[in-house]
């Protein structure tokens, strides 16, 4: 049985659990290092990245999570979760988990676009666009060469398309909130990563 952990310090972890259950996998709320044990994947939900980082320190979870993301177990961060997973978040006063080679700037879509919704094309999903909900989303400012861009939005402020869904190996990060809509394709995509990870032959 596949078990996906959802970091439950703060933010919309209940919505992630509901989406995962609809897809038939079991979930576990993670608040202690012990609760990371034996997971097949982990989701860091939307919320407030400063609060997440503070609570990770208070709950003695920073080091265990930093080690966990290095083990190759699939991890997905949405919005604040993307910030927490990024290699760099220049305006965050806490260390991130440095799991995916991107640099992000928080709340950077500007006041008018603070929260917005957009139908985006997502490369692995084919023709049907994904309705993406952005709430004070981070802008991805730099993308490392090993990082695949799955979706972009046209960005008026910077005059160039911005990556809003990125993947590096088993690490997935989205600037928006698939857990707030009924479309479970991103959760299914994450479960595909989890399942393909299990099938990878171990090195001899
Ligand atoms: N603006 C928040 C942050 O900086 C993220 C918002 C969200 O997760 N919806 O962490």
């Amino acid at each position: 049985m596949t078990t996906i952990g959802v970091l439950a310090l703060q933010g919309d972890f209940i919505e992630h659990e509901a989406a995962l259950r609809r897809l038939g996998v079991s979930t576990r709320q993670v608040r202690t290092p012990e609760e990371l044990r034996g997971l097949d994947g982990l989701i860091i939900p939307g919320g407030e990245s400063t609060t997440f980082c503070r609570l990770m320190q208070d709950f003695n979870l920073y080091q265990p999570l930093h080690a966990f993301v290095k083990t190759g177990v699939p991890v997905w961060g949405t919005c604040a979760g993307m910030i927490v997973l990024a290699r760099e978040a220049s305006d965050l006063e806490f260390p991130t988990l440095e799991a995916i080679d991107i640099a992000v700037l928080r709340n950077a879509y500007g006041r008018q676009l603070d929260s917005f919704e957009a139908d985006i094309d997502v490369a692995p999903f084919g023709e049907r666009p994904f309705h993406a909900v952005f709430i004070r989303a981070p802008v991805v400012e730099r993308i490392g060469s090993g990082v695949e861009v799955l979706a972009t939005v046209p960005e008026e402020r910077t005059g160039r398309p911005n990556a809003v869904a990125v993947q590096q190996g088993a690490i997935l990060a989205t600037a928006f909130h698939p857990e707030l809509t009924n479309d479970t394709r991103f959760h299914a995509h994450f479960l595909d990563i989890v399942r393909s990870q299990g099938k990878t032959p171990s090195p001899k």
Side-chain angles (χ1 to χ4, degrees), residues 15-152:
E15 287 81 356
H16 272 294
E17 287 191 287
L20 291 167
R21 288 208 195 102
R22 284 215 300 278
L23 293 172
V25 296
S26 70
T27 64
R28 184 194 301 161
Q29 297 184 359
V30 172
R31 295 188 187 82
T32 66
E34 293 71 37
E35 285 161 343
L36 288 169
R37 266 191 222 135
L39 291 176
D40 299 297
L42 176 72
I43 294 179
I44 304 182
E48 170 55 47
S49 50
T50 308
T51 310
F52 273 129
C53 291
R54 183 174 301 124
L55 292 172
M56 282 194 297
Q57 310 275 357
D58 291 352
F59 282 66
N60 295 319
L61 267 171
Y62 176 76
Q63 287 303 341
L65 279 169
H66 197 271
F68 184 88
V69 298
K70 299 262 180 298
T71 60
V73 176
V75 182
W76 174 22
T78 58
C79 198
M82 172 189 246
I83 298 166
V84 172
L85 288 178
R87 172 155 293 169
E88 296 162 56
S90 50
D91 54 344
L92 185 72
E93 74 241 45
F94 290 94
T96 65
L97 297 176
E98 305 170 309
I100 183 164
D101 190 14
I102 56 171
V104 297
L105 193 61
R106 297 164 63 220
N107 306 325
Y109 277 91
R111 195 168 288 173
Q112 277 184 340
L113 286 177
D114 209 14
S115 294
F116 62 100
E117 302 189 10
D119 288 323
I120 57 171
D121 291 322
V122 183
F125 299 169
E127 295 278 290
R128 189 160 58 93
F130 190 92
H131 189 71
V133 177
F134 294 82
I135 304 168
R136 307 189 73 222
V139 165
V140 178
E141 292 198 303
R142 183 189 63 75
I143 300 173
S145 55
V147 178
E148 189 187 349
V149 176
L150 304 183
T152 58

